[in-house]
Amino acid sequence: MATVELRFSALPEHVRTARLVAAAVARRAGVDESVLDEVRLAVGEACSRAVGLHQRGDAQGAIRVALIEQEKRFLIEVADEAGPIPLAAPTADEGSDRDDDALGLAVISGLVEDVEVSNGSDGGLIRMSWPVSSAPVAV
């Protein structure tokens, strides 16, 4: 089981790099070529969401993207260090931010059949996976 891990500061310009690396590693892991755009888009949405949470909460931590090649699945974890997301009703200023979060999660759910979203005291985690073919592609 091979793992590639990216850590980057919460800046929007790093999201593109995460998308490109995720697509390249997914291709090498054996994810079907027809699904690579979905991988790229889902990682972009998850990373953009994490960047937004960091910037809104003035969090100083890094965003972590783990690309994990398993025997029959390709797993991607996007973790933020933005702290817990409050469940209280949003204020007027937070309303559109929460709508953006919900929209981003809806897009991810539409792109990925196997997705889990969790939130803890340190931050959130989005775990997504795709099936792989039996033979990884050489790059």
Side-chain angles (χ1 to χ4, degrees), residues 29-139:
V31 172
D32 191 77
E33 197 72 28
S34 65
V35 181
L36 291 178
D37 282 339
E38 294 172 8
V39 171
R40 191 177 298 115
L41 288 170
V43 169
E45 285 294 330
C47 289
S48 293
R49 180 178 181 272
V51 166
L53 291 172
H54 273 252
Q55 290 180 342
R56 286 192 300 274
D58 202 27
Q60 300 302 314
I63 295 167
R64 180 184 63 85
V65 180
L67 310 163
I68 305 163
E69 185 179 338
Q70 297 176 332
E71 188 176 328
K72 296 184 180 187
R73 303 289 295 171
F74 178 65
L75 178 70
I76 298 178
E77 295 178 344
V78 177
D80 65 69
E81 296 177 359
I85 298 173
L87 297 176
T91 65
D93 293 339
E94 296 174 329
S96 68
D97 293 339
R98 296 250 179 115
D99 291 344
D100 290 345
D101 287 345
L103 179 60
L105 291 174
V107 169
I108 293 167
S109 295
L111 292 168
V112 185
E113 287 183 27
D114 184 20
V115 62
E116 297 174 29
V117 179
S118 60
N119 189 37
S121 61
D122 294 334
L125 176 69
I126 298 177
R127 181 177 287 129
M128 307 169 278
S129 74
W130 293 266
V132 295
S133 63
S134 56
V137 177
V139 177

